[in-house]
Amino acid sequence: KKRPPQTMALRSIARTASTTAHRAVGARSVATLPDLPYGYGELEPVISGEIMELHHSKHHNTYVTNLNLATEKLADATEKGDVTTIVQMQAAIKFNGGGHLNHSIFWQNLAPPGKGGGGEPEGELADLINAKFGSFDAMKSQLSASTVAVQGSGWGWLGYDKATNSVAIATCANQDPLEATTGLVPLFGIDVWEHAYYLDYNVRPDYVSAIWQLANWEDVAARLAAAK
């Protein structure tokens, strides 16, 4: 049976609107590789320019690329009602989305020595650390030990607990994002995937010990303020 022209026109408009909306949603959700707030070589001698370039332009960029592919597949599957693919995409989005979120924080958490990197936190951040751990050195020791002890690949974090207005230490496996998996707002993270340090350090403890020289406490304090 031939459909009336009006019906065909309406369906064509609906398809066009659906496609346009789908593209608009996709355009809004596209992740991009953030620029670093310093040059690749500016974190030396703690982290070499070579490993920073590989870590940022290769590893982080791969997470961004794969996150965009996964979110596009998810959008297509959602539009088609393809529940199997929707479920399949969750792991890829968690891994690559977590990798993108974690590294975007990590770059900002660091600063060149003498240009904001190192030292100790001040103000409310210092007060919360002292209240929870007794001192900055005690927090530093506990976070270092927890991070070194991560089995395989993962992250060590200082996070903020909104419910108790306190800071806490947590670790996450692989690229699991801190807030989505624990509820803690990420303040300061240490990446202990081998790609973060294998060219510069033979063992993880040496890398974790050295990275405190780059800690950007101004950025960490700003994250705390934004979380409150």
Side-chain angles (χ1 to χ4, degrees):
K1 183 178 179 180
K2 189 174 182 180
R3 297 184 178 90
Q6 296 91 336
T7 302
M8 295 176 66
L10 286 171
R11 292 192 175 186
S12 176
I13 291 170
R15 282 195 300 270
T16 301
S18 176
T19 300
T20 300
H22 173 66
R23 287 174 178 170
V25 170
R28 287 197 301 270
S29 65
V30 169
T32 57
L33 182 69
D35 292 332
L36 296 183
Y38 38 75
Y40 286 135
E42 287 190 71
L43 300 186
E44 294 183 347
V46 180
I47 302 177
S48 67
E50 181 182 7
I51 206 163
M52 282 299 299
E53 184 172 5
L54 285 169
H55 198 174
H56 176 257
S57 66
K58 178 183 177 183
H59 295 287
H60 188 175
N61 193 49
T62 298
Y63 296 128
V64 170
T65 300
N66 290 337
L67 173 61
N68 287 330
L69 289 172
T71 52
E72 183 63 27
K73 288 180 180 179
L74 176 63
D76 288 339
T78 301
E79 187 177 7
K80 296 172 183 176
D82 181 355
V83 178
T84 297
T85 301
I86 290 172
V87 172
Q88 287 175 339
M89 288 300 102
Q90 302 307 308
I93 290 172
K94 181 181 180 182
F95 180 76
N96 293 291
H100 177 46
L101 287 172
N102 293 339
H103 285 87
S104 296
I105 296 168
F106 184 62
W107 309 133
Q108 299 291 332
N109 273 174
L110 305 179
K115 297 181 180 179
E120 297 187 11
E122 300 177 348
E124 184 179 14
L125 175 61
D127 292 341
L128 289 178
I129 289 172
N130 291 335
K132 181 64 177 283
F133 301 100
S135 68
F136 169 69
D137 285 339
M139 182 280 292
K140 181 178 171 181
S141 177
Q142 289 184 43
L143 179 54
S144 294
S146 296
T147 305
V148 168
V150 169
Q151 293 188 1
S153 300
W155 292 74
W157 289 100
L158 178 68
Y160 174 66
D161 186 338
K162 292 183 179 181
T164 60
N165 187 35
S166 63
V167 292
I169 286 171
T171 59
C172 293
N174 300 314
Q175 293 296 352
D176 290 0
L178 182 69
E179 188 167 10
T181 55
T182 70
L184 296 173
V185 178
L187 299 179
F188 177 72
I190 303 175
D191 182 357
V192 286
W193 280 66
E194 283 194 354
H195 64 229
Y197 62 88
Y198 72 102
L199 293 179
D200 298 331
Y201 298 91
N202 291 323
V203 292
R204 181 184 289 180
D206 290 348
Y207 157 72
V208 172
S209 176
I211 205 167
W212 294 97
Q213 299 173 51
L214 304 175
N216 182 353
W217 296 114
E218 183 177 346
D219 177 74
V220 179
R223 294 181 186 280
L224 173 63
K228 296 178 75 68

